[in-house]
Amino acid sequence: MASIEFLAFLEELLTPERKALFNKVIEQRTNHFTVVTEDVYQLHNTSAVIRSCDVFGIQNVHVIEEQKVKKIDREIAMGAQKWVTLNRHDDSLKCISKLREDGYQIIATSPNAEAIELSDFDITKPSALFLGTEKDGLSNEVLSNADQCIRIPMVGFTESLNISVSAAIILQELTSRLRKSKIYWELSDYDKNEVKFEWLRKSFKNFDHLVTRFENS
């Protein structure tokens, strides 16, 4: 992590409005929930999920790409990839194992009637929310290793939603409940500084020059 002095140096180069925005947004970021997409073939959907994560304050996003490595669509994400932390994986089981090590329970999203309704989901535990492909949903590996499955209640003829729409509905519901709860969901001071440093690093095209300038000051 960068030193507190270097962070302060970079922050002073921002406009007052930009600095205030960074400080406002960082206070609403959380790692209590993280989102995982698994082999989502339509690239714009992954990008739209990343955008929703930024909007609802989810800092870490995990992308599993076992079948084909893809480049995040910058136009669809609309810059959101600069503000969330993107973690790439090439194996679903390894991703699950890593998330469990980090203290997350594995939550699969599924239209299955036996899944827990979104409004009934217990938000107290840190959770990794898995979203699957548009056509086939999540893999058997994820479903068989999930601690729970959740579903969005639907009352129409259509039995499924686009993945990016599902992500937005789920995140709006869960983060709204989280912020009204007494759960400690905020980033630690250490994580805030790490995230803020990444935001600052991506904000300056002449970042390497600024590093030299700071070291020589």
Side-chain angles (χ1 to χ4, degrees):
M1 187 186 74
S3 69
I4 299 299
E5 293 77 15
F6 187 43
L7 283 174
F9 167 77
L10 293 175
E11 284 189 297
E12 289 306 310
L13 300 177
L14 298 173
T15 64
E17 294 78 14
R18 192 67 164 175
K19 183 178 179 180
L21 179 60
F22 273 30
N23 289 331
K24 177 183 177 181
V25 172
I26 200 70
E27 293 301 323
Q28 294 299 318
R29 284 303 208 234
T30 187
N31 280 328
H32 187 79
F33 295 129
T34 189
V35 169
V36 188
T37 65
E38 184 189 38
D39 280 331
V40 177
Y41 300 127
Q42 295 182 359
L43 186 58
H44 68 275
N45 279 329
T46 298
S47 299
V49 170
I50 291 172
R51 187 180 176 192
S52 291
C53 287
D54 175 45
V55 167
F56 294 109
I58 305 298
Q59 184 56 42
N60 272 272
V61 182
H62 298 261
V63 178
I64 302 171
E65 298 170 306
E66 288 193 2
Q67 304 299 322
K68 186 185 295 183
V69 176
K70 300 174 284 291
K71 184 178 181 181
I72 300 301
D73 189 322
R74 295 179 182 274
E75 182 178 352
I76 298 298
M78 295 184 69
Q81 74 281 354
K82 290 177 60 177
W83 312 120
V84 302
T85 304
L86 189 63
N87 306 272
R88 294 182 181 274
H89 307 268
D90 59 10
D91 183 274
S92 295
L93 293 180
K94 289 180 181 178
C95 177
I96 289 173
S97 177
K98 179 63 170 62
L99 288 167
R100 286 198 195 283
E101 288 178 9
D102 291 341
Y104 289 100
Q105 62 175 345
I106 306 304
I107 306 300
T109 57
S110 170
N112 191 309
E114 296 180 359
I116 299 170
E117 284 201 7
L118 181 59
S119 59
D120 295 327
F121 176 64
D122 183 354
I123 64 171
T124 56
K125 296 180 181 179
S127 302
L129 308 166
F130 277 69
L131 300 161
T133 63
E134 296 81 3
K135 181 180 179 182
D136 301 318
L138 291 166
S139 67
N140 289 330
E141 286 81 5
V142 172
L143 292 173
S144 61
N145 282 278
D147 298 298
Q148 285 185 339
C149 290
I150 60 173
R151 66 183 176 90
I152 299 170
M154 303 179 197
V155 296
F157 293 106
T158 303
E159 296 181 351
S160 64
L161 291 167
N162 175 280
I163 180 178
S164 60
V165 175
S166 294
I169 292 172
I170 291 169
L171 292 180
Q172 194 282 331
E173 164 75 16
L174 297 186
T175 59
S176 177
R177 287 167 54 195
L178 185 66
R179 291 187 171 88
K180 293 175 183 177
S181 74
K182 296 182 179 179
I183 299 168
Y184 183 79
W185 52 265
E186 296 92 337
L187 297 182
S188 67
D189 289 341
Y190 177 87
D191 287 339
K192 286 179 182 178
N193 286 337
E194 279 218 320
V195 170
K196 191 179 290 187
F197 172 71
E198 284 302 308
W199 291 352
L200 289 164
R201 184 178 64 81
K202 294 173 182 177
S203 296
F204 299 105
K205 293 182 179 179
N206 61 335
F207 182 77
D208 290 340
H209 171 73
L210 293 176
V211 172
T212 302
R213 176 177 159 187
F214 174 77
E215 291 175 343
N216 294 331
S217 62

